[in-house]
Amino acid sequence: MEAPYDDRLLHQRVVGGDESALGEVYDRLSPLIFGLSLRVTRDRVIAEDITQEVFLVFWERPLAYDPGRGTLRAWLATIAHRRAVDHVRAEERRRVSALGPRLFEREPARLEDGVLAADEAERVRQAVTELPDGLRQAVELAYYGGRTYRQVGEELGVPEGTAKSRIRLALRRLADALAEEEV
């Protein structure tokens, strides 16, 4: 699919350093880029940042866009979507890693810590039992059984990627459920 003439002309102007051409592209496509980013991240501030980043990429590296491969709209939307998904994934990793050590604490240092840890561990166990079977089995094998993604997949008879997805989804659901209980 070849880009329309307007995209080619604007692209040539941006390559030549014409800031007004970038302004035209921004005026025309920023609502799309912002809307897409907002739908993925569900955060206006992050969506605004991603929108700025996308147009900065185009300004700083306009030759990265190849008009012969598609429209400028599609190219910028792809960059925005990737950045938004990367942000969501990074946020998810941050939440899971922050929750992880608290979920599986082994030996408390003091008696009070032991009581609190036992209470939290019971809440975690209860939340795990409320997960759908596929998710529950995957997270139990991984975290309570110490299995790798590959081993979880083999034991459940599913591909490794599916096992990984189930574990991630289970951890996300546990984090949400436990956050509601302020654990």
Side-chain angles (χ1 to χ4, degrees):
M1 165 184 257
E2 196 167 299
Y5 177 74
D6 188 40
D7 280 357
R8 287 179 176 276
L9 183 58
L10 282 170
H11 178 243
Q12 289 171 354
R13 288 174 53 203
V14 171
V15 168
D18 184 348
E19 290 181 28
S20 67
L22 179 65
E24 289 176 42
V25 173
Y26 183 87
D27 291 343
R28 191 175 84 200
L29 298 177
S30 63
L32 166 76
I33 301 305
F34 175 76
L36 175 65
S37 301
L38 182 60
R39 266 193 310 277
V40 174
T41 64
R42 299 175 188 218
D43 184 315
R44 292 189 71 78
V45 173
I46 299 300
E48 289 170 359
D49 289 347
I50 290 171
T51 301
Q52 287 180 350
E53 289 173 21
V54 167
F55 287 99
L56 185 62
V57 165
F58 182 48
W59 178 247
E60 290 179 341
R61 296 191 326 247
L63 293 174
Y65 167 62
D66 180 0
R69 296 187 63 190
T71 65
L72 183 57
R73 171 188 175 98
W75 185 72
L76 292 174
T78 299
I79 293 171
H81 185 261
R82 287 180 182 161
R83 289 190 181 238
V85 168
D86 287 347
H87 172 79
V88 169
R89 287 180 177 159
E91 187 63 24
E92 180 182 325
R93 281 191 301 271
R94 186 197 60 75
R95 279 189 9 196
V96 168
S97 68
L99 180 64
R102 293 183 62 212
L103 279 177
F104 306 103
E105 204 170 85
R106 295 284 186 228
E107 295 183 41
R110 300 181 319 218
L111 181 58
E112 302 87 36
D113 291 341
V115 171
L116 289 174
D119 181 54
E120 285 183 358
E122 181 55 36
R123 287 178 168 175
V124 170
R125 275 192 287 280
Q126 181 60 37
V128 169
T129 63
E130 293 172 6
L131 290 171
D133 286 343
L135 301 181
R136 181 185 46 74
Q137 292 168 341
V139 82
E140 284 176 343
L141 288 170
Y143 287 93
Y144 295 121
R147 310 290 198 300
T148 64
Y149 294 128
R150 179 173 291 134
Q151 292 168 332
V152 170
E154 288 171 2
E155 289 192 36
L156 295 178
V158 299
E160 181 179 344
T162 301
K164 189 174 185 178
S165 295
R166 286 182 183 179
I167 293 167
R168 279 185 171 161
L169 181 56
L171 290 176
R172 187 177 321 124
R173 287 191 182 179
L174 287 172
D176 291 344
L178 295 171
E180 288 175 12
E181 293 183 26
E182 298 180 10
V183 175

